[in-house]
Amino acid sequence: MNQTLEKFKEYLKEVRQYDLASTLLTWDLQTMTPPKGLESKMDAIGFFSTKSFRLLTAAEYGAMLEELSAPEQFNELDTAMQITVKRYLREYRRFKRVPEDFYTEMVTTSARSEKAWEKAREEKDFSLFLPYLDKMISLKKQYINYMEPDEDPYEVLLDTYEEGMDSVTIEKLFTELKEGLVPLLAKIQASPQPDLSALAGSYDIDAQKKVQNMLLDYIGFDFEAGAVAQSAHPFTMDLCPGDTRVTNHYYETQPISSIFSAIHEGGHAIFGQNIDPVYEGTAVEQVNLMGLHESQSRFYENILGRNKNFWVPIYAKLGELLPQFQTIPLDVFYRAINDVHPSFIRTEADEVTYCLHIILRFEMEKAIFKDHVPTEKLPALWNDKMEELLGIRPSNDAEGILQDMHWSDGSFGYFPSYLLGNIYDGMFLEQIEKELGSLDTILAEGRIREITAWLNEKIHKHGSLYNSREVLQRVCGREISAKPLLDYFNKKYSEIYGF
Ligand code: ZN
């Protein structure tokens, strides 16, 4: 019996209890809390987060991690516990190198910066955000410098969101995609465009909620291990083993929005719900691989949900719940959910131009972190890149550099993971067809749960035991490549647009 290990497990359990309390409060804050209850909820979140923060920076915790990482003890641990000790020790050591007053300055500046960004976006005025963005860039560089003094800050950031990824690999993948997608978009734009006027109208919100539940159930979301609520922006939250929740947002005139948010968040949740319980209490049940997580939500949303055959077995059901769809032929609906055109806002983009939105952001982040382009030059650079990639130029910065919140709180290096997820999806699709046969047939026959079972077995149950590159190697037997995704786009859209 390893006493340090037992103590360590108990210690992590305590941390998890505090984390569960703050996560549950955060869930409530974002879904149910009335305005007058906001303050006290936020106080309580602060209280529980500080408890867990103190435990994770305590000398006692560091000593346990050091002891368990010594070879004679480490070699006795099972794989999940080895990963846990390695990851947490790295975090502990990194964190210990950051001076406390610097950390506090970063946290408070980040909160102010978010507020400044909100106002700047509202007023379409970049100058209001400029000093904060400038400060966040330098604080983030300094922060990484404390944690990993010998590493390139942008590489550390990329690795934080998608372990094992680096800018050279991403650059290569994104360049290949850009070279394939820009001409594809030109062909799509030169083709006859669909008439989507049949979809105009008002769609009952309660009925949209029923559609959402029907879809979640259809793809394999477990209502015994999760719940659904409404929030300003859809998100997924892993509360604790046995409880992974999703939210949605509904627009009366855009039922397609809540339909695809439900499928997207459902994909994230199915991942969380199917992690093997043997990893409970270890770092393996926490999946901080943003690209891999995003690959699962996007697989459901795009590869499955935007395939015509996905709807074949359930389109009549959709019409029962939302009667407008009884008069809209499936073919028209299919064109509507695959309507490709350049637009300014990333979150409203179709699956093809979405890739170009992310490439733009990656190139911007490289300009910031590698080429040190002055902050005041960034809005114009953004607009130039938008014109180069999508052929349109924002008329104001709210349509341009101010649209996303990520940089306002210092989440640099996060964007590429969205597109990496799409790239992994191309590879998963190719592999599924090799192993299970034609996706179109499986979907048309209503056997989607076979796909979910495949994803559960190959990806979900392992949690974060393997990083994304290892997952691709294990599941697809090859190195990461953008080609399968490009093949998927070319085949699908040449059929839809007829070229
Ligand atoms: Zn997502």
Side-chain angles (χ1 to χ4, degrees), residues 294-424:
E294 209 52 36
S295 80
Q296 296 311 290
S297 53
R298 281 160 197 276
F299 196 84
Y300 281 93
E301 179 193 345
N302 294 331
I303 308 279
L304 305 180
R306 292 184 205 279
N307 183 313
K308 195 197 285 183
N309 298 287
F310 175 91
W311 295 95
V312 168
I314 54 171
Y315 199 66
K317 185 95 195 152
L318 178 67
E320 271 169 41
L321 297 169
L322 279 175
Q324 285 97 326
F325 283 104
Q326 290 171 14
T327 55
I328 301 168
L330 176 56
D331 280 323
V332 174
F333 176 70
Y334 180 58
R335 292 301 301 262
I337 62 177
N338 291 292
D339 178 28
V340 173
H341 59 271
S343 61
F344 294 113
I345 305 297
R346 171 184 64 90
T347 53
E348 294 163 11
D350 57 82
E351 64 171 335
V352 175
T353 58
Y354 191 92
C355 304
L356 298 168
H357 281 273
I358 298 301
I359 293 171
L360 180 153
R361 284 153 181 79
F362 171 65
E363 291 183 358
M364 292 296 293
E365 289 185 339
K366 270 195 316 174
I368 295 168
F369 283 90
K370 302 267 189 189
D371 307 332
H372 311 285
V373 170
T375 313
E376 63 269 19
K377 296 217 163 113
L378 296 177
L381 184 62
W382 178 291
N383 296 347
D384 291 346
K385 287 189 179 296
M386 188 105 221
E387 218 168 337
E388 178 203 330
L389 291 165
L390 286 153
I392 50 175
R393 195 173 183 88
S395 59
N396 62 64
D397 291 328
E399 281 179 352
I401 194 167
L402 287 174
Q403 64 180 278
D404 299 303
M405 73 145 346
H406 300 58
W407 294 342
S408 73
D409 70 359
S411 302
F412 304 100
Y414 191 116
F415 282 122
S417 59
Y418 294 118
L419 183 47
L420 288 170
N422 286 351
I423 291 172
Y424 306 162

Side-chain angles (χ1 to χ4, degrees), residues 162 236 238 267-269 271-272 275 287-298 421 424 468:
E162 188 67 346
T236 302
D238 288 303
H268 279 304
F271 193 163
I275 296 171
V287 184
N288 295 327
L289 300 159
M290 297 306 154
L292 189 65
H293 230 296
E294 209 52 36
S295 80
Q296 296 311 290
S297 53
R298 281 160 197 276
Y424 306 162
S468 305

